[in-house]
Structure formats: structure tokens, C-alpha cells
Amino acid sequence: MSQAKVKAVKSILISQPPPADQTSPYLTLSKKWGIKVDFRKFIQVDGVSLNDFRKQGINPLDFTGVIFTSKVAVDHFFRLLGEMRAEMPPDTRYFCVGEATSKYLQKYIVIRKRKLYVGERNAMDLLPFINKNKKEKYLFPCSDMHRKELPGYMQDNGMDITETVIYQTVSSDLSDLENIFYDMICFFSPSGIQSLFKNFPDFQQKETRIAVLGPATASEARNLGLRVDVEAPKPNMPSMSAAIERYLQDIGQDF
């Protein structure tokens, strides 16, 4: 499809909950470009109960290093600790994917007193730090749908790592969107793509633009036959909103 024939984007569906305030970059895009922007979460996260967690036979206090790949993992890990009336030792090492996740830890611990390591974009970015701390006993709190690259690498290289499912990702009911169409739909995880097809198995993309965040989301979209039109992060486009704006500029859309 040549850019000259690409129709303007007049409506965007963001597959996330509505923002808590008016500072969302998507609302800024909406005002600047005159685009209707709606928010709707495609997935929901259900934390495992303390009883179900205990059935896994894992005691967090037995571990010297904890790997967090998201703020959701941080929330549910410390929720379970609270229900156990337990507290991690002050010398525990924390390995976090992204600055946002590492800063979020401040909600639960005093970071300056802990040993903290931060990977830039994905779990494999933590390898330089993990390889320098091979003797730690690692706990990897995760969802029932998570990527296996990091724990697989660590196991293959003789490191002590235990995965524990502390929350589950399930598809939201999107049936009310059946006859509503958007010029662009934005996805932020592979599970969001899966939710689309679980709700609408016969989904036909046609002229709908698909925007994705992260290589795993892009891969899942393409595996399910979608054409990816907008992909972030990219050089000079670190965020989804920046990538959307570049796309609008590239197709020559008027303000």
C-alpha cells in the first residue's frame, strides 16, 4: 500500500485502561491532530491467591536475588509477601527491566539500602549484571504467560533460578466492540494481540493500522497474520506516542 493512498487516521483505540489524568501523551496527540482516541484494556491481570502460591512450595525468603520484568510483578510479589507477613532481607539483590520498574520499587522498599540492577529494555538486558552475580539464588516472579529466554539461558548456564507464577493474564470481554471500527489499534503486549483474536477469531485487518510496542508484540502480531504499520521503540521514537506521531507525519496527515 503506497503512502499516497493511505487514508487519514481519524480514530485510535489504545488497548490500555484510560489514563488517570490529562497528561497522557495520547490525549496530547488527540488534541494536536484532531483524532478521536479511546481507551479499552484488552487484558486483565488476576493475582494468584496466597493458598495457590503456597502450593508451588516456594518461600521468597530462601532467595538472594529477585528479577522483576514489570510493575505488575512488583505489586503482586509484595502483595503476597504482605499476606505472608514476611519481609525480604536488606541484602537482597533486585534486577529490574526498565527504569520505570526499578523506580516503582520505591513504593515497597528503600532503594538506597538495597542492591539494584537495571536492564534497559527487556529481560535479556539484565544478563551483564546476572553474569557478574552467578552465585545468587534467583527468584523470577512472573505471569502464566511469560517469555522463557532469560530463565532458559540461566538454567542452561548452571545458574540457580526458580520461576514462580504470581499473576495470570486473561483476555477481557470485548464483545461490545464487535461493530465498532478504528483506523488504528495500539497493542502493548503479545497477550493483547491474543485477546483480539480470542474475542474476534475472524478479525480482518483491511485498512486498520496496527501499532505495537516491543519486539515480542510485533512478532505475535505478524505470527497471527497482521500487518504491522507502526512499531516502537525505534531510533528517535522511544515511545508508542512518538511512533504514532511519526507515522502521521509520514503519511502526510493534516493537523
Side-chain angles (χ1 to χ4, degrees):
M1 183 183 296
S2 65
Q3 288 188 350
K5 295 182 180 180
V6 174
K7 71 175 185 178
V9 175
K10 297 298 183 182
S11 60
I12 299 177
L13 179 60
I14 307 294
S15 60
Q16 289 186 330
D21 54 44
Q22 296 299 306
T23 63
S24 167
Y26 303 109
L27 297 180
T28 301
L29 273 177
S30 174
K31 294 176 182 177
K32 179 177 178 179
W33 292 88
I35 296 173
K36 177 187 177 184
V37 175
D38 290 337
F39 298 85
R40 177 65 179 275
K41 63 178 182 179
F42 275 40
I43 58 174
Q44 61 188 53
V45 174
D46 297 333
V48 302
S49 68
L50 180 58
N51 284 340
D52 286 340
F53 175 73
R54 282 177 167 157
K55 289 177 183 177
Q56 298 180 50
I58 293 171
N59 180 0
L61 302 186
D62 291 338
F63 298 86
T64 60
V66 184
I67 299 171
F68 290 121
T69 58
S70 69
K71 292 189 286 187
V72 174
V74 173
D75 274 336
H76 286 290
F77 179 76
F78 284 97
R79 170 184 61 82
L80 288 167
L81 275 181
E83 293 176 5
M84 295 170 64
R85 297 184 179 179
E87 183 176 346
M88 297 301 290
D91 58 349
T92 302
R93 298 178 189 266
Y94 294 94
F95 300 77
C96 299
V97 175
E99 288 288 344
T101 303
S102 66
K103 291 179 180 178
Y104 194 69
L105 272 175
Q106 294 180 77
K107 181 177 179 180
Y108 298 101
I109 64 174
V110 179
I111 288 181
R112 68 175 181 272
K113 293 183 179 179
R114 310 292 173 138
K115 297 181 179 180
L116 181 66
Y117 308 86
V118 183
E120 186 175 345
R121 291 175 51 192
N122 56 57
M124 295 301 284
D125 290 337
L126 292 171
L127 278 181
F129 307 114
I130 290 173
N131 282 328
K132 291 180 180 178
N133 295 275
K134 292 182 178 181
K135 295 183 179 181
E136 301 298 331
K137 187 175 182 180
Y138 288 95
L139 182 63
F140 186 20
C142 56
S143 76
D144 56 331
M145 300 171 59
H146 67 281
R147 302 186 72 180
K148 297 284 188 176
E149 288 91 340
L150 181 62
Y153 172 91
M154 294 176 69
Q155 290 166 358
D156 290 344
N157 285 272
M159 287 181 254
D160 190 339
I161 179 170
T162 299
E163 300 170 66
T164 175
V165 173
I166 60 171
Y167 62 97
Q168 298 175 326
T169 304
V170 298
S171 298
S172 299
D173 181 1
L174 306 175
S175 57
D176 57 305
L177 297 178
E178 183 174 5
N179 296 311
I180 301 175
F181 303 95
Y182 290 87
D183 294 322
M184 180 181 290
I185 307 177
C186 303
F187 295 95
F188 301 83
S189 68
S191 52
I193 302 281
Q194 294 161 8
S195 177
L196 173 70
F197 283 93
K198 182 174 182 179
N199 279 274
F200 310 109
D202 300 322
F203 175 79
Q204 298 293 319
Q205 181 174 0
K206 299 181 181 179
E207 291 188 307
T208 300
R209 268 56 62 89
I210 298 296
V212 299
L213 183 69
T217 310
S219 177
E220 185 68 12
R222 294 186 174 108
N223 287 342
L224 290 173
L226 296 177
R227 180 189 69 252
V228 174
D229 301 282
V230 179
E231 189 171 352
K234 293 287 187 181
N236 301 318
M237 293 182 291
S239 65
M240 174 73 86
S241 58
I244 293 173
E245 183 142 33
R246 172 65 64 84
Y247 176 81
L248 298 175
Q249 293 168 349
D250 288 346
I251 66 172
Q253 179 155 322
D254 295 329
F255 289 91

